[in-house]
Coordinates of all heavy atoms in Angstrom, one line a residue:
M159 N 0.8 -1.2 0.0 CA 0.0 0.0 0.0 C 0.9 1.3 0.0 O 1.8 1.4 0.8 CB -0.9 0.0 1.2 CG -2.0 1.0 1.1 SD -3.4 0.8 2.2 CE -2.8 0.3 3.8
K160 N 0.6 2.2 -0.9 CA 1.3 3.4 -1.0 C 0.9 4.5 0.0 O -0.3 4.7 0.1 CB 1.2 3.9 -2.4 CG 2.2 5.0 -2.8 CD 2.1 5.3 -4.3 CE 3.2 6.3 -4.6 NZ 3.1 6.7 -6.0
K161 N 1.8 5.1 0.7 CA 1.5 6.1 1.6 C 1.1 7.4 0.9 O 1.8 7.8 -0.1 CB 2.7 6.4 2.5 CG 2.4 7.3 3.7 CD 3.6 7.4 4.6 CE 3.2 8.3 5.7 NZ 4.3 8.5 6.7
S162 N 0.0 8.0 1.3 CA -0.4 9.2 0.6 C 0.5 10.4 0.9 O 1.1 10.5 2.0 CB -1.9 9.6 0.9 OG -1.9 9.9 2.3
E163 N 0.6 11.4 0.0 CA 1.4 12.6 0.2 C 0.7 13.4 1.3 O -0.5 13.6 1.3 CB 1.5 13.4 -1.1 CG 2.3 12.7 -2.2 CD 3.8 12.6 -1.9 OE1 4.3 13.6 -1.4 OE2 4.3 11.5 -2.1
P164 N 1.6 14.1 2.1 CA 1.0 15.0 3.1 C 0.4 16.2 2.4 O 0.8 16.6 1.4 CB 2.2 15.4 3.9 CG 3.4 15.2 3.1 CD 3.0 14.0 2.1
I165 N -0.7 16.7 3.1 CA -1.3 17.9 2.6 C -0.5 19.1 2.9 O -0.2 19.4 4.1 CB -2.7 18.0 3.2 CG1 -3.6 16.8 2.7 CG2 -3.4 19.4 2.7 CD1 -4.9 16.8 3.5
Q166 N -0.1 19.9 1.9 CA 0.7 21.1 2.1 C 0.1 22.2 1.2 O -0.2 22.0 0.0 CB 2.1 20.9 1.7 CG 2.8 19.8 2.6 CD 4.2 19.7 2.2 OE1 4.7 19.9 1.1 NE2 5.0 19.2 3.2
T167 N 0.0 23.4 1.7 CA -0.5 24.6 1.0 C 0.5 25.7 1.1 O 1.0 26.0 2.2 CB -1.9 25.0 1.6 OG1 -2.8 23.9 1.6 CG2 -2.4 26.2 0.9
R168 N 0.8 26.2 0.0 CA 1.8 27.4 -0.1 C 0.9 28.7 -0.1 O -0.1 28.7 -0.9 CB 2.6 27.3 -1.3 CG 3.7 26.2 -1.2 CD 4.6 26.2 -2.4 NE 5.5 25.1 -2.3 CZ 6.8 25.2 -1.9 NH1 7.2 26.4 -1.6 NH2 7.5 24.2 -1.9
I169 N 1.2 29.6 0.7 CA 0.5 30.9 0.8 C 1.5 32.0 0.6 O 2.5 32.1 1.3 CB -0.2 31.0 2.2 CG1 -1.2 29.9 2.3 CG2 -0.9 32.4 2.3 CD1 -1.9 29.9 3.6
S170 N 1.2 32.9 -0.4 CA 2.0 34.1 -0.7 C 1.6 35.2 0.3 O 0.4 35.4 0.5 CB 1.8 34.5 -2.1 OG 2.3 33.5 -3.0
V171 N 2.5 35.8 0.9 CA 2.3 36.9 1.9 C 3.0 38.2 1.5 O 4.2 38.1 1.1 CB 2.7 36.4 3.3 CG1 2.5 37.6 4.3 CG2 1.8 35.2 3.8
R172 N 2.4 39.3 1.6 CA 3.0 40.6 1.5 C 3.0 41.2 2.9 O 1.9 41.6 3.4 CB 2.2 41.5 0.5 CG 2.8 42.8 0.3 CD 4.1 42.8 -0.5 NE 4.6 44.2 -0.7 CZ 5.8 44.5 -0.8 NH1 6.7 43.6 -0.9 NH2 6.1 45.8 -1.0
L173 N 4.2 41.3 3.5 CA 4.3 41.6 4.9 C 4.8 43.1 5.1 O 5.7 43.5 4.5 CB 5.3 40.7 5.6 CG 5.4 40.8 7.1 CD1 4.1 40.4 7.8 CD2 6.6 40.0 7.6
T174 N 4.1 43.8 6.1 CA 4.5 45.1 6.6 C 4.9 45.0 8.0 O 4.0 44.7 8.9 CB 3.4 46.1 6.4 OG1 3.0 46.1 5.0 CG2 3.8 47.5 6.8
P175 N 6.2 45.0 8.3 CA 6.6 44.9 9.7 C 6.5 46.2 10.5 O 6.2 47.3 9.8 CB 8.1 44.5 9.6 CG 8.5 45.0 8.3 CD 7.3 45.0 7.4
K176 N 6.7 46.2 11.8 CA 6.7 47.4 12.6 C 5.4 48.2 12.5 O 5.3 49.4 12.6 CB 7.9 48.3 12.3 CG 9.2 47.8 12.7 CD 10.4 48.6 12.3 CE 10.3 50.0 12.6 NZ 11.5 50.8 12.3
A177 N 4.2 47.5 12.4 CA 2.9 48.1 12.3 C 2.4 48.3 13.7 O 3.0 47.8 14.7 CB 2.0 47.2 11.6
S178 N 1.4 49.1 13.8 CA 0.8 49.4 15.1 C 0.0 48.2 15.7 O -0.2 48.1 16.9 CB -0.1 50.6 15.1 OG -1.2 50.3 14.1
S179 N -0.4 47.3 14.9 CA -1.1 46.1 15.3 C -1.0 44.9 14.3 O -0.7 45.2 13.1 CB -2.6 46.4 15.6 OG -3.2 46.7 14.3
N180 N -1.2 43.7 14.8 CA -1.1 42.5 13.9 C -2.5 42.4 13.2 O -3.5 42.5 13.8 CB -0.8 41.3 14.6 CG 0.5 41.2 15.2 OD1 1.4 41.9 14.8 ND2 0.7 40.3 16.2
A181 N -2.5 42.3 11.9 CA -3.7 42.2 11.1 C -3.5 41.6 9.7 O -2.5 41.9 9.1 CB -4.4 43.5 11.0
I182 N -4.5 40.9 9.3 CA -4.6 40.5 7.8 C -5.4 41.6 7.2 O -6.6 41.8 7.5 CB -5.2 39.2 7.6 CG1 -4.2 38.1 8.2 CG2 -5.5 38.9 6.2 CD1 -4.7 36.7 8.1
T183 N -4.8 42.4 6.3 CA -5.4 43.6 5.8 C -6.2 43.3 4.5 O -7.1 44.0 4.2 CB -4.5 44.7 5.6 OG1 -3.4 44.3 4.7 CG2 -3.9 45.2 6.9
D184 N -5.8 42.2 3.8 CA -6.4 41.9 2.5 C -6.0 40.5 2.1 O -5.0 40.0 2.4 CB -6.1 42.9 1.4 CG -7.0 42.9 0.2 OD1 -8.1 42.4 0.3 OD2 -6.5 43.3 -0.9
Y185 N -6.9 39.9 1.2 CA -6.6 38.7 0.5 C -7.2 38.8 -0.8 O -8.4 38.8 -1.0 CB -7.1 37.5 1.3 CG -6.9 36.2 0.6 CD1 -5.6 35.7 0.5 CD2 -7.9 35.4 0.0 CE1 -5.3 34.5 -0.2 CE2 -7.6 34.3 -0.6 CZ -6.3 33.8 -0.8 OH -6.1 32.7 -1.4
A186 N -6.3 39.0 -1.8 CA -6.7 39.2 -3.2 C -5.7 38.6 -4.1 O -4.5 38.8 -3.9 CB -7.0 40.6 -3.5
G187 N -6.1 38.0 -5.2 CA -5.2 37.5 -6.2 C -4.2 36.4 -5.6 O -3.1 36.2 -6.1
G188 N -4.7 35.7 -4.6 CA -3.9 34.7 -4.0 C -2.8 35.2 -3.0 O -1.9 34.4 -2.6
I189 N -2.8 36.5 -2.7 CA -1.8 37.0 -1.9 C -2.4 37.6 -0.6 O -3.3 38.4 -0.7 CB -1.0 38.1 -2.6 CG1 -0.3 37.5 -3.8 CG2 0.0 38.8 -1.7 CD1 0.4 38.5 -4.7
V190 N -1.8 37.2 0.5 CA -2.3 37.7 1.8 C -1.5 39.0 2.2 O -0.3 38.9 2.2 CB -2.1 36.7 2.9 CG1 -2.6 37.3 4.3 CG2 -2.9 35.4 2.6
S191 N -2.2 40.1 2.4 CA -1.5 41.3 2.9 C -1.6 41.3 4.4 O -2.7 41.2 4.9 CB -2.1 42.6 2.3 OG -1.9 42.6 0.9
M192 N -0.5 41.5 5.1 CA -0.5 41.3 6.5 C 0.4 42.4 7.1 O 1.5 42.7 6.6 CB 0.1 39.9 6.8 CG 0.0 39.5 8.3 SD 0.8 37.9 8.6 CE -0.1 36.8 7.6
R193 N 0.0 42.9 8.3 CA 0.8 43.8 9.1 C 1.2 43.1 10.4 O 0.3 42.3 11.0 CB 0.0 45.0 9.5 CG -0.4 45.9 8.4 CD -1.0 47.2 8.9 NE -1.9 47.0 10.0 CZ -3.1 47.5 10.1 NH1 -3.6 48.2 9.2 NH2 -3.8 47.3 11.2
I194 N 2.4 43.3 10.8 CA 3.0 42.6 12.0 C 3.7 43.7 12.8 O 4.4 44.5 12.3 CB 4.0 41.5 11.7 CG1 3.2 40.4 10.9 CG2 4.7 40.9 12.9 CD1 2.2 39.6 11.7
T195 N 3.5 43.6 14.2 CA 4.2 44.6 15.0 C 5.6 44.4 15.2 O 6.4 45.3 15.5 CB 3.5 44.6 16.4 OG1 3.6 43.3 17.0 CG2 2.1 45.0 16.4
A196 N 6.1 43.2 15.0 CA 7.5 42.8 15.2 C 8.4 43.5 14.1 O 8.0 43.7 13.0 CB 7.7 41.3 15.1
P197 N 9.6 43.9 14.5 CA 10.5 44.6 13.6 C 11.2 43.5 12.7 O 11.3 42.4 13.1 CB 11.5 45.3 14.5 CG 11.6 44.4 15.7 CD 10.1 43.9 15.9
P198 N 11.7 43.9 11.6 CA 12.4 43.0 10.7 C 13.9 42.8 11.1 O 14.8 43.0 10.4 CB 12.3 43.6 9.3 CG 12.3 45.1 9.6 CD 11.6 45.2 10.9
I199 N 14.1 42.4 12.4 CA 15.4 42.2 12.9 C 15.6 40.8 13.4 O 14.7 40.3 14.2 CB 15.7 43.2 14.1 CG1 15.6 44.6 13.6 CG2 17.0 43.0 14.7 CD1 15.5 45.7 14.7
E200 N 16.6 40.1 13.0 CA 17.0 38.8 13.4 C 15.8 37.8 13.3 O 15.6 37.0 14.2 CB 17.5 38.8 14.9 CG 18.8 39.6 15.0 CD 19.3 39.7 16.4 OE1 18.7 39.0 17.3 OE2 20.3 40.4 16.6
G201 N 15.0 37.9 12.3 CA 14.0 37.0 12.0 C 12.7 37.1 12.8 O 11.8 36.3 12.8
A202 N 12.6 38.2 13.6 CA 11.5 38.4 14.5 C 10.2 38.6 13.7 O 9.1 38.0 14.1 CB 11.7 39.7 15.4
A203 N 10.2 39.4 12.6 CA 9.0 39.5 11.8 C 8.6 38.3 11.1 O 7.4 38.0 11.0 CB 9.2 40.7 10.8
N204 N 9.6 37.5 10.7 CA 9.3 36.2 10.0 C 8.6 35.2 11.0 O 7.6 34.6 10.7 CB 10.5 35.5 9.5 CG 11.1 36.3 8.3 OD1 10.4 37.0 7.6 ND2 12.4 36.2 8.1
A205 N 9.1 35.2 12.2 CA 8.5 34.3 13.2 C 7.1 34.8 13.6 O 6.2 34.0 13.7 CB 9.4 34.2 14.5
A206 N 6.9 36.1 13.8 CA 5.6 36.7 14.1 C 4.6 36.4 13.0 O 3.5 36.1 13.2 CB 5.8 38.2 14.4
C207 N 5.1 36.5 11.7 CA 4.3 36.3 10.6 C 3.7 34.9 10.6 O 2.5 34.7 10.4 CB 5.1 36.6 9.3 SG 4.2 36.2 7.8
C208 N 4.6 33.9 10.8 CA 4.2 32.5 10.8 C 3.2 32.2 11.9 O 2.2 31.6 11.8 CB 5.4 31.6 10.9 SG 6.5 31.5 9.5
E209 N 3.5 32.8 13.1 CA 2.7 32.6 14.3 C 1.3 33.2 14.1 O 0.3 32.6 14.4 CB 3.4 33.2 15.5 CG 2.7 32.9 16.8 CD 3.5 33.4 18.0 OE1 4.8 33.3 17.9 OE2 2.9 33.9 18.9
F210 N 1.3 34.4 13.6 CA 0.0 35.1 13.4 C -0.8 34.4 12.3 O -2.1 34.3 12.4 CB 0.2 36.6 13.0 CG -1.1 37.4 12.9 CD1 -1.8 37.6 14.0 CD2 -1.6 37.8 11.7 CE1 -3.0 38.3 14.0 CE2 -2.7 38.5 11.6 CZ -3.5 38.7 12.8
L211 N -0.2 34.0 11.2 CA -1.0 33.3 10.2 C -1.6 32.0 10.7 O -2.7 31.6 10.4 CB -0.1 33.0 8.9 CG -0.9 32.4 7.8 CD1 -1.9 33.4 7.2 CD2 0.0 32.0 6.7
A212 N -0.8 31.3 11.5 CA -1.3 30.0 12.2 C -2.5 30.3 13.0 O -3.5 29.6 12.9 CB -0.2 29.4 13.0
E213 N -2.4 31.4 13.8 CA -3.5 31.8 14.7 C -4.8 32.1 13.8 O -5.9 31.7 14.1 CB -3.2 32.9 15.5 CG -4.2 33.4 16.5 CD -3.7 34.7 17.2 OE1 -2.6 34.6 17.7 OE2 -4.5 35.6 17.4
A214 N -4.6 32.9 12.7 CA -5.6 33.3 11.9 C -6.3 32.2 11.2 O -7.5 32.2 11.0 CB -5.1 34.3 10.8
L215 N -5.5 31.2 10.8 CA -6.1 30.0 10.0 C -6.6 28.9 11.0 O -7.3 28.0 10.6 CB -5.0 29.4 9.1 CG -4.6 30.2 7.9 CD1 -3.4 29.5 7.2 CD2 -5.8 30.4 7.0
G216 N -6.3 29.1 12.3 CA -6.8 28.1 13.2 C -6.0 26.8 13.2 O -6.6 25.7 13.4
V217 N -4.7 26.9 13.0 CA -3.9 25.7 12.9 C -2.7 25.9 14.0 O -2.5 27.0 14.5 CB -3.2 25.5 11.5 CG1 -4.3 25.2 10.5 CG2 -2.3 26.6 11.1
R218 N -2.0 24.8 14.3 CA -0.9 24.9 15.2 C 0.3 25.7 14.6 O 0.5 25.7 13.4 CB -0.4 23.5 15.6 CG -1.4 22.7 16.3 CD -0.9 21.3 16.7 NE -0.2 20.6 15.6 CZ -0.8 19.8 14.7 NH1 -2.1 19.7 14.7 NH2 -0.1 19.2 13.8
K219 N 1.1 26.4 15.5 CA 2.2 27.1 15.0 C 3.2 26.3 14.2 O 3.8 26.7 13.3 CB 2.9 27.8 16.2 CG 2.2 29.0 16.8 CD 3.0 29.6 17.9 CE 2.4 29.3 19.2 NZ 3.1 29.9 20.3
S220 N 3.3 25.0 14.7 CA 4.3 24.1 14.1 C 3.8 23.7 12.6 O 4.7 23.1 11.9 CB 4.4 22.8 14.9 OG 3.2 22.1 15.0
Q221 N 2.6 24.0 12.2 CA 2.2 23.7 10.9 C 2.5 24.8 9.9 O 2.3 24.5 8.7 CB 0.7 23.5 10.9 CG 0.2 22.2 11.6 CD -1.3 22.1 11.6 OE1 -1.9 22.3 12.6 NE2 -1.9 21.9 10.4
V222 N 3.0 25.9 10.3 CA 3.3 27.0 9.4 C 4.8 27.3 9.4 O 5.4 27.4 10.5 CB 2.6 28.3 9.8 CG1 2.9 29.4 8.9 CG2 1.1 28.0 9.9
S223 N 5.5 27.3 8.2 CA 6.9 27.6 8.1 C 7.2 28.5 6.9 O 6.4 28.5 6.0 CB 7.7 26.3 8.0 OG 7.3 25.5 6.9
L224 N 8.3 29.2 7.0 CA 8.7 30.1 6.0 C 9.5 29.2 4.9 O 10.4 28.5 5.2 CB 9.6 31.2 6.5 CG 10.2 32.2 5.6 CD1 9.0 33.1 5.1 CD2 11.3 33.0 6.2
V225 N 9.0 29.4 3.6 CA 9.7 28.7 2.5 C 10.7 29.6 1.8 O 11.8 29.2 1.5 CB 8.6 28.1 1.5 CG1 9.2 27.5 0.3 CG2 7.7 27.2 2.2
S226 N 10.2 30.8 1.6 CA 11.1 31.8 0.9 C 10.7 33.2 1.3 O 9.7 33.5 1.7 CB 11.0 31.6 -0.7 OG 9.8 32.0 -1.1
G227 N 11.7 34.1 1.1 CA 11.5 35.5 1.3 C 11.9 35.9 2.7 O 11.4 36.9 3.3
A228 N 12.9 35.3 3.3 CA 13.3 35.6 4.7 C 13.7 37.1 4.8 O 13.5 37.7 5.9 CB 14.5 34.7 5.1
K229 N 14.3 37.7 3.8 CA 14.8 39.1 3.9 C 14.0 40.0 2.9 O 14.4 41.0 2.6 CB 16.2 39.1 3.5 CG 17.1 38.4 4.5 CD 18.5 38.6 4.3 CE 19.3 37.8 5.4 NZ 20.3 38.6 6.0
S230 N 12.7 39.6 2.6 CA 11.9 40.3 1.7 C 10.5 40.6 2.3 O 10.1 39.8 3.2 CB 11.8 39.5 0.4 OG 10.8 40.1 -0.4
R231 N 9.8 41.6 1.8 CA 8.4 41.8 2.3 C 7.5 40.7 1.6 O 6.4 40.4 2.2 CB 7.9 43.1 1.9 CG 8.6 44.2 2.8 CD 8.1 45.6 2.4 NE 8.7 46.6 3.1 CZ 8.1 47.4 3.9 NH1 6.8 47.4 4.1 NH2 8.8 48.4 4.6
S232 N 7.9 40.2 0.5 CA 7.1 39.1 -0.2 C 7.7 37.8 0.3 O 8.8 37.5 0.1 CB 7.3 39.3 -1.7 OG 6.7 40.5 -2.1
K233 N 6.8 37.0 0.8 CA 7.2 35.7 1.4 C 6.3 34.6 0.9 O 5.2 34.9 0.5 CB 7.1 35.8 3.0 CG 7.9 36.9 3.5 CD 7.8 37.0 5.0 CE 8.6 38.1 5.6 NZ 10.0 38.1 5.2
V234 N 6.7 33.4 1.0 CA 5.9 32.2 0.8 C 6.0 31.4 2.0 O 7.1 31.0 2.5 CB 6.4 31.4 -0.4 CG1 5.6 30.2 -0.6 CG2 6.3 32.3 -1.7
L235 N 4.8 31.1 2.5 CA 4.7 30.2 3.8 C 4.1 28.9 3.4 O 3.3 28.8 2.5 CB 3.9 30.9 4.8 CG 4.3 32.3 5.3 CD1 3.4 32.8 6.4 CD2 5.7 32.3 5.8
L236 N 4.5 27.8 4.1 CA 3.9 26.5 3.9 C 3.1 26.1 5.1 O 3.6 26.2 6.2 CB 5.1 25.5 3.7 CG 4.7 24.1 3.4 CD1 4.1 24.0 2.0 CD2 5.9 23.2 3.5
V237 N 1.9 25.7 4.8 CA 1.0 25.3 5.9 C 0.7 23.8 5.6 O 0.2 23.4 4.5 CB -0.3 26.1 5.9 CG1 -1.3 25.7 7.0 CG2 -0.1 27.6 5.9
T238 N 1.0 23.0 6.6 CA 0.8 21.6 6.5 C -0.6 21.2 7.1 O -1.1 21.9 8.0 CB 1.9 20.7 7.1 OG1 1.9 21.1 8.5 CG2 3.2 21.0 6.5
E239 N -1.1 20.1 6.6 CA -2.4 19.5 7.1 C -3.6 20.5 6.9 O -4.6 20.4 7.7 CB -2.3 19.1 8.6 CG -1.2 18.1 8.8 CD -1.0 17.8 10.3 OE1 -2.0 17.8 11.0 OE2 0.2 17.6 10.6
L240 N -3.5 21.4 5.9 CA -4.6 22.2 5.6 C -4.8 22.3 4.1 O -3.9 22.8 3.4 CB -4.4 23.6 6.2 CG -5.6 24.6 6.0 CD1 -6.8 24.2 6.8 CD2 -5.2 26.0 6.4
P241 N -5.9 21.8 3.5 CA -6.0 21.8 2.1 C -6.1 23.2 1.6 O -6.6 24.2 2.2 CB -7.4 21.1 1.8 CG -7.6 20.3 3.0 CD -6.9 21.1 4.2
A242 N -5.6 23.5 0.3 CA -5.6 24.8 -0.3 C -6.9 25.5 -0.3 O -7.1 26.7 -0.1 CB -5.0 24.7 -1.7
D243 N -8.0 24.7 -0.7 CA -9.3 25.3 -0.8 C -9.8 25.7 0.6 O -10.5 26.8 0.7 CB -10.3 24.3 -1.4 CG -10.5 23.0 -0.7 OD1 -9.6 22.6 0.0 OD2 -11.5 22.3 -1.0
E244 N -9.5 25.0 1.6 CA -9.9 25.4 3.0 C -9.1 26.6 3.5 O -9.7 27.6 4.1 CB -9.7 24.2 4.0 CG -10.1 24.6 5.4 CD -11.6 24.9 5.6 OE1 -12.4 24.6 4.7 OE2 -11.9 25.5 6.6
A245 N -7.9 26.7 3.1 CA -7.0 27.9 3.5 C -7.6 29.1 2.8 O -7.8 30.2 3.4 CB -5.6 27.7 3.1
E246 N -7.9 28.9 1.5 CA -8.5 30.1 0.7 C -9.8 30.5 1.3 O -10.1 31.7 1.4 CB -8.6 29.7 -0.7 CG -9.1 30.8 -1.6 CD -9.0 30.5 -3.1 OE1 -8.3 29.6 -3.5 OE2 -9.6 31.2 -3.8
R247 N -10.6 29.6 1.7 CA -11.9 29.9 2.3 C -11.8 30.7 3.6 O -12.4 31.7 3.8 CB -12.8 28.7 2.6 CG -14.2 28.9 3.0 CD -14.9 27.7 3.5 NE -14.3 27.1 4.7 CZ -14.5 27.6 5.9 NH1 -15.2 28.7 6.1 NH2 -14.0 27.0 7.0
R248 N -10.9 30.3 4.4 CA -10.6 30.9 5.7 C -10.0 32.3 5.5 O -10.4 33.3 6.2 CB -9.7 30.1 6.6 CG -10.4 28.8 7.1 CD -9.4 28.0 7.9 NE -10.0 26.7 8.2 CZ -9.4 25.8 9.0 NH1 -8.2 26.1 9.6 NH2 -10.0 24.6 9.2
L249 N -9.1 32.5 4.6 CA -8.5 33.8 4.3 C -9.5 34.7 3.7 O -9.5 35.9 4.1 CB -7.3 33.6 3.4 CG -6.1 33.0 4.1 CD1 -5.0 32.6 3.0 CD2 -5.5 33.8 5.2
T250 N -10.3 34.3 2.8 CA -11.3 35.1 2.2 C -12.3 35.6 3.3 O -12.7 36.8 3.3 CB -12.1 34.3 1.1 OG1 -11.1 33.9 0.1 CG2 -13.2 35.2 0.5
Q251 N -12.7 34.7 4.2 CA -13.6 35.0 5.2 C -13.0 36.1 6.1 O -13.7 37.1 6.5 CB -13.9 33.7 6.1 CG -15.2 33.7 6.8 CD -15.4 32.3 7.3 OE1 -14.5 31.6 7.8 NE2 -16.7 31.9 7.3
L252 N -11.7 35.9 6.5 CA -11.1 36.9 7.4 C -11.0 38.3 6.7 O -11.2 39.3 7.3 CB -9.7 36.5 7.7 CG -9.5 35.3 8.7 CD1 -8.1 34.8 8.7 CD2 -10.0 35.8 10.1
S253 N -10.7 38.3 5.4 CA -10.6 39.5 4.6 C -11.9 40.2 4.5 O -12.0 41.4 4.7 CB -10.0 39.2 3.2 OG -9.9 40.4 2.5
E254 N -13.0 39.4 4.3 CA -14.3 40.0 4.2 C -14.8 40.6 5.5 O -15.4 41.6 5.6 CB -15.3 39.0 3.7 CG -15.1 38.7 2.2 CD -16.0 37.5 1.7 OE1 -16.7 36.9 2.5 OE2 -15.9 37.2 0.5
K255 N -14.5 39.9 6.6 CA -14.8 40.3 7.9 C -14.2 41.7 8.2 O -14.8 42.6 8.8 CB -14.4 39.3 8.9 CG -15.1 39.4 10.3 CD -14.6 38.4 11.3 CE -15.1 37.0 10.9 NZ -14.8 36.0 11.8
R256 N -12.9 41.8 7.8 CA -12.2 43.1 8.1 C -12.8 44.2 7.2 O -12.9 45.3 7.7 CB -10.7 42.9 7.7 CG -9.9 44.2 7.9 CD -8.5 44.0 7.8 NE -7.7 45.2 8.0 CZ -7.5 45.8 9.1 NH1 -7.9 45.4 10.2 NH2 -6.8 47.0 9.1
R257 N -13.1 43.9 6.0 CA -13.7 45.0 5.1 C -15.1 45.4 5.7 O -15.3 46.6 5.7 CB -13.9 44.4 3.7 CG -12.7 44.4 2.9 CD -12.9 44.1 1.4 NE -11.7 43.6 0.8 CZ -11.6 42.4 0.3 NH1 -12.6 41.6 0.2 NH2 -10.5 42.0 -0.3
S258 N -15.9 44.5 6.1 CA -17.2 44.9 6.7 C -17.0 45.7 8.0 O -17.8 46.6 8.2 CB -18.1 43.7 6.9 OG -17.6 42.9 7.9
A259 N -16.0 45.4 8.8 CA -15.7 46.1 10.0 C -15.3 47.5 9.7 O -15.7 48.5 10.3 CB -14.7 45.4 10.8
E260 N -14.4 47.7 8.6 CA -14.0 49.0 8.2 C -15.1 49.8 7.7 O -15.2 51.0 7.9 CB -12.9 48.9 7.1 CG -11.6 48.4 7.7 CD -10.6 48.2 6.6 OE1 -10.9 48.2 5.4 OE2 -9.4 48.0 6.9
R261 N -16.1 49.2 6.9 CA -17.2 49.9 6.4 C -18.2 50.4 7.5 O -18.6 51.5 7.5 CB -18.0 49.0 5.4 CG -17.5 49.0 4.0 CD -18.4 48.4 3.0 NE -18.7 47.0 3.4 CZ -18.1 46.0 2.8 NH1 -17.2 46.1 1.9 NH2 -18.4 44.7 3.2
S262 N -18.4 49.5 8.5 CA -19.3 49.9 9.5 C -18.7 51.0 10.5 O -19.4 51.8 11.0 CB -19.8 48.7 10.4 OG -18.7 48.0 10.8
S263 N -17.3 51.0 10.6 CA -16.7 52.1 11.4 C -16.7 53.4 10.7 O -16.6 54.4 11.3 CB -15.3 51.6 11.8 OG -14.4 51.6 10.8
A264 N -16.7 53.3 9.3 CA -16.7 54.6 8.5 C -18.0 55.2 8.5 O -18.1 56.4 8.2 CB -16.2 54.3 7.1
E265 N -19.1 54.5 8.8 CA -20.5 55.1 8.7 C -20.8 55.9 10.0 O -20.3 55.9 11.0 CB -21.5 54.0 8.6 CG -21.4 53.3 7.3 CD -22.3 52.1 7.2 OE1 -23.0 51.7 8.1 OE2 -22.3 51.5 6.1

């Protein structure tokens, strides 16, 4: 019997470090725009990015790792044990929730 491949989803992130709060600001075109309070020093922003995305997606921190972009604002993260369609659904939901909150605070 052949062992099945593990479920792995790659997520593209556009990160803004040293923000006033941690937040997913948008999800469009397959790219998550995210703000993190951690500074881009000694990998602090990368670690915070992985940790915050894990929390936002409702997965364990150990399931999210940095694949590329350690010294760039554009990063690719790998999420294990979460199918791509489910990750996309959760990110879309978070983005829509944020947009509706911004609209209601503007009124």
Side-chain angles (χ1 to χ4, degrees):
M159 194 161 42
K160 192 174 186 180
K161 189 175 181 181
S162 65
E163 291 292 316
I165 297 171
Q166 297 182 333
T167 302
R168 289 179 183 262
I169 298 176
S170 296
V171 174
R172 178 74 177 153
L173 186 68
T174 302
K176 291 174 45 175
S178 59
S179 63
N180 291 342
I182 290 178
T183 57
D184 193 24
Y185 178 66
I189 299 172
V190 179
S191 296
M192 185 185 302
R193 293 188 324 227
I194 294 293
T195 58
I199 299 170
E200 297 178 6
N204 292 333
C207 176
C208 290
E209 190 174 321
F210 185 68
L211 185 65
E213 182 183 315
L215 291 174
V217 299
R218 295 183 312 277
K219 287 185 250 179
S220 62
Q221 287 177 251
V222 181
S223 59
L224 181 68
V225 175
S226 67
K229 295 188 181 225
S230 170
R231 287 180 185 242
S232 297
K233 302 178 182 307
V234 177
L235 303 181
L236 182 70
V237 182
T238 59
E239 302 175 37
L240 183 67
D243 60 337
E244 180 61 17
E246 186 170 339
R247 185 189 69 75
R248 292 178 189 184
L249 289 168
T250 300
Q251 205 171 39
L252 287 167
S253 181
E254 287 172 357
K255 198 180 290 186
R256 178 167 177 82
R257 282 190 202 119
S258 68
E260 286 175 351
R261 277 193 297 265
S262 54
S263 69
E265 292 174 357

